[in-house]
Amino acid sequence: QVQLVESGGGLVQAGGSLRLSCAASGRTFSSCRMGWFRQAPGKERDFVAGISCSGGYTYYADSVKGRFTISRDNAKNTVYLQMNSLKPEDTAVYYCAAGKVVSTREDPYDYWGQGTQVTVSS
């Protein structure tokens, strides 16, 4: 079992920045590929970014490429999502997920956090 806890969400003005954290605990070695997803009100949950176990491979949705950066600190079992140049359309609940592969789809991820709200005002 892996437990994931997100933090760092909040309210920010357009153009601002936030850094989300996802702290993992439990049997993290077998499900170490991590992803960030987001779900806006009335919409499906969408892939945002993914990272390999070592951090050497990252992948981003086109909508966030160049603005968001995913990274990890394996000594702290924590994955980060640095979000810059935020836009109102980035408003959503952000979830981190852990799995055995990096995927843009939800089903390969075995574990999910509870989510953290990000609100970007115009």
Side-chain angles (χ1 to χ4, degrees):
Q1 289 285 343
V2 175
Q3 294 79 41
L4 302 173
V5 179
E6 301 99 334
S7 61
L11 173 64
V12 63
Q13 288 188 331
S17 299
L18 280 175
R19 188 177 80 156
L20 305 183
S21 299
C22 175
S25 60
R27 299 175 66 87
T28 57
F29 64 91
S30 61
S31 296
C32 57
R33 281 78 176 177
M34 302 293 291
W36 284 98
F37 288 74
R38 66 186 181 186
Q39 187 168 23
K43 295 187 177 180
E44 295 184 348
R45 190 155 56 183
D46 292 327
F47 172 80
V48 175
I51 190 166
S52 61
C53 298
S54 67
Y57 171 77
T58 57
Y59 188 74
Y60 299 91
D62 288 342
S63 59
V64 306
K65 204 171 292 183
R67 300 188 298 124
F68 291 11
T69 302
I70 189 171
S71 62
R72 66 191 301 157
D73 183 339
N74 286 340
K76 296 181 178 180
N77 281 340
T78 301
V79 174
Y80 304 98
L81 185 68
Q82 177 67 45
M83 305 185 295
N84 298 328
S85 301
L86 282 161
K87 305 174 181 180
E89 51 264 44
D90 295 317
T91 295
V93 177
Y94 283 71
Y95 299 89
C96 69
K100 296 179 178 63
V101 297
V102 175
S103 174
T104 60
R105 298 180 0 249
E106 292 187 39
D107 45 313
Y109 292 92
D110 302 312
Y111 305 99
W112 292 81
Q114 82 289 350
T116 185
Q117 176 71 47
V118 171
T119 303
V120 184
S121 63
S122 57

